[in-house]
């Protein structure tokens, strides 16, 4: 399974935020959309960073309520690992596990075309694991 398959099933809509918006704006956007991360994009649609709930917690722990008035760019993760539509589910799992993050922007030709979360990856992996488990049961009981 590739990222292209995941995006076909879930859609390629991504909630983004501009780097100059405040952390307060971003928090409200996350809450309104019921999501855990925002991709930070410049005016051309290039990924400038990602802002996760974890980034917000670190900002509040470091600066308190004054962090809410700061621009998103001062608290986002700027070094973002991205993938392409051809990236496999296994590659995504490995990158997310090694990098300890849960959201990965999908980019083509330098532009954002989707977002994959750990939930998306697990949702597509579970049927395969269940089928393998059933095959093993059938093998063992049939032997």
């Amino acid at each position: 399974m590739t990222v292209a398959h995941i995006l076909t099933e879930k859609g390629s809509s991504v909630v983004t935020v501009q780097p100059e918006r405040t952390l307060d704006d971003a928090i409200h956007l996350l809450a309104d959309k019921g999501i855990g991360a925002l991709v930070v994009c410049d005016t051309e649609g290039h990924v400038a960073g990602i802002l996760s709930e974890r980034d917000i917690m670190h900002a509040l722990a470091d600066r308190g309520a004054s962090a809410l008035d700061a621009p998103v760019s001062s608290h986002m993760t700027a070094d973002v690992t991205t993938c392409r539509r051809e990236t496999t589910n296994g590659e995504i799992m490995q990158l997310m596990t090694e990098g300890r993050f849960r959201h990965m922007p999908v980019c083509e030709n330098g532009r954002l075309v989707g977002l994959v979360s750990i939930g998306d990856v697990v949702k597509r992996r579970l049927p395969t694991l269940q089928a393998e488990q059933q095959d093993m049961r059938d093998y063992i009981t049939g032997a």
Side-chain angles (χ1 to χ4, degrees):
M1 166 120 5
T2 64
V3 170
H5 292 107
I6 294 172
L7 293 180
T8 297
E9 290 179 22
K10 75 170 257 184
S12 58
S13 176
V14 181
V15 181
T16 63
V17 67
Q18 298 79 26
E20 67 275 2
R21 298 284 300 270
T22 66
L23 206 56
D24 186 61
D25 293 335
I27 289 170
H28 284 93
L29 189 54
L30 287 168
D32 290 345
K33 300 293 184 180
I35 56 177
L38 295 166
V39 179
V40 184
C41 288
D42 64 19
T43 55
E44 274 84 54
H46 299 106
V47 175
I50 194 163
L51 182 75
S52 69
E53 295 164 321
R54 185 180 297 162
D55 295 322
I56 293 166
M57 294 307 296
H58 284 283
L60 292 171
D62 291 345
R63 297 189 46 204
S66 66
L68 298 174
D69 297 324
V72 166
S73 60
S74 64
H75 297 292
M76 69 184 186
T77 299
D79 185 21
V80 181
T81 301
T82 63
C83 65
R84 300 178 49 132
R85 292 175 199 215
E86 297 82 23
T87 307
T88 67
N89 204 5
E91 291 168 327
I92 295 278
M93 287 191 295
Q94 183 174 356
L95 289 166
M96 287 182 170
T97 300
E98 289 172 359
R100 300 187 55 165
F101 56 85
R102 298 175 299 187
H103 300 88
M104 185 180 291
V106 183
C107 296
E108 294 289 332
N109 300 317
R111 294 192 182 274
L112 180 67
V113 297
L115 182 72
V116 177
S117 72
I118 191 66
D120 299 327
V121 173
V122 170
K123 180 179 179 179
R124 274 71 184 188
R125 181 73 177 121
L126 280 178
T128 303
L129 292 174
Q130 291 167 340
E132 289 172 359
Q133 188 178 44
Q134 186 60 48
D135 288 346
M136 285 298 272
R137 274 194 214 109
D138 293 345
Y139 176 77
I140 291 169
T141 59

